[in-house]
Amino acid sequence: MSATRAEVCAVACAEAWRGDGEILASPIGVLPTIGARLARLTFSPDLLLTDGEALLIADTPALGAKAAVVEGWLPFRRHLAMVSGGRRHVMMGASQLDRHGNQNISRIGAAARPARQLLGVRGAPGNTVNHPTSYWIPRHSPRVLVERVDMVCGVGHDRAAAAGPPATRFHRIPRVVTDLAVLDFATPDRTMRVRSLHPGVTAEELRAATGFPLDVPAGVPRTRAPNAEELRLIRDVLDPDALREREVRA
């Protein structure tokens, strides 16, 4: 069975939690949620998942379905303690993201007169300096992947390094997944690089959709497609209503 672009993205999101062990996975959005649940059902069975509020769930339900088994209570005070010790890996969105991994979800334009008011800073600064934070971007474009963010919400590698050990102790940006590629920061200067191109995406297409120069090595691999069992889990167990296809269309 051939996989759609959305299903390739689901597996790419799942891979962000590979090897994480017994930590709290906090996916935000349709594809990250499918990815976290797929990871727990396959190669990361120790991941902790919540119902989106304050309950730890023992089963892995479909999107929109209630959990059948609750295994614990995670009130806000315990959640904060977990967050501050590096025991959580969140996958957030980004209205803007720059080459160093600085993220903006607050405003577009100058502070004195912004063109758009967005979500606000929310928990992004605390997330990024206290535990691993990956990003999901459903529309890879020069408006999102920018040379410089209009406001720093999530802390990138350059700003974490400038702030010193208190900011770098748990700071990690394992993965950026977009509808075109998988990116990371595994470079000597901790700037963004291409980890893989999704099937059917060209290097020229990726460069044109990025608002800063992005090196695409000649031998960069393709993002892996889901295997037959992963496809079954995505289609029949986790997302039978195919909500994923509304978020990513190729």
Side-chain angles (χ1 to χ4, degrees):
M1 295 183 291
S2 61
T4 66
R5 178 73 60 80
E7 290 161 347
V8 170
C9 290
V11 169
C13 289
E15 288 286 351
W17 284 283
R18 184 182 284 274
D20 273 0
E22 192 176 353
I23 71 166
L24 180 65
S26 294
I28 300 174
V30 171
L31 263 297
T33 299
I34 295 171
R37 295 182 185 190
L38 180 64
R40 184 156 89 163
L41 287 174
T42 54
F43 48 74
S44 293
D46 293 332
L47 285 179
L48 301 177
L49 297 175
T50 74
D51 65 347
E53 295 185 14
L55 298 177
L56 291 168
I57 58 175
D59 59 337
T60 311
L63 293 180
K66 277 194 168 185
V69 183
V70 173
E71 63 179 354
W73 182 45
L74 191 65
F76 201 55
R77 63 182 181 274
R78 289 185 58 199
H79 189 275
L80 288 176
M82 180 179 289
V83 165
S84 65
R87 302 300 299 164
R88 178 188 189 224
H89 182 172
V90 63
M91 182 172 279
M92 300 176 64
S95 301
Q96 292 179 327
L97 193 70
D98 69 22
R99 68 172 76 227
H100 299 284
N102 295 295
Q103 172 239 35
N104 175 26
I105 53 172
S106 186
R107 61 170 167 81
I108 301 298
R113 194 177 180 86
R116 294 286 186 277
Q117 179 65 54
L118 306 175
L119 288 173
V121 174
R122 312 287 288 193
N127 287 345
T128 46
V129 300
N130 283 305
H131 57 71
T133 303
S134 293
Y135 293 105
W136 160 241
I137 297 171
R139 297 289 182 271
H140 190 131
S141 81
R143 296 177 62 181
V144 180
L145 279 295
V146 296
E147 182 68 42
R148 183 186 179 94
V149 297
D150 292 340
M151 177 176 177
V152 175
C153 300
V155 179
H157 289 285
D158 57 341
R159 288 177 176 268
T168 58
R169 182 182 179 193
F170 295 119
H171 181 271
R172 190 163 67 90
I173 308 175
R175 202 71 56 95
V176 177
V177 181
T178 80
D179 61 330
L180 299 182
V182 179
L183 308 119
D184 64 22
F185 299 88
T187 56
D189 60 355
R190 308 298 284 169
T191 54
M192 192 179 291
R193 68 159 191 171
V194 182
R195 186 183 182 99
S196 65
L197 287 173
H198 296 339
V201 178
T202 66
E204 292 73 21
E205 182 181 359
L206 186 67
R207 290 191 190 100
T210 306
F212 52 83
L214 185 63
D215 182 41
V216 185
V220 68
R222 292 289 173 184
T223 308
R224 79 171 181 90
N227 60 38
E229 175 60 9
E230 288 169 331
L231 271 181
R232 184 190 71 80
L233 290 170
I234 292 169
R235 294 175 179 179
D236 300 339
V237 177
L238 297 174
D239 187 24
D241 295 328
L243 298 178
R244 63 193 178 276
E245 302 300 336
R246 301 181 193 176
E247 191 161 81
V248 175
R249 296 182 176 90

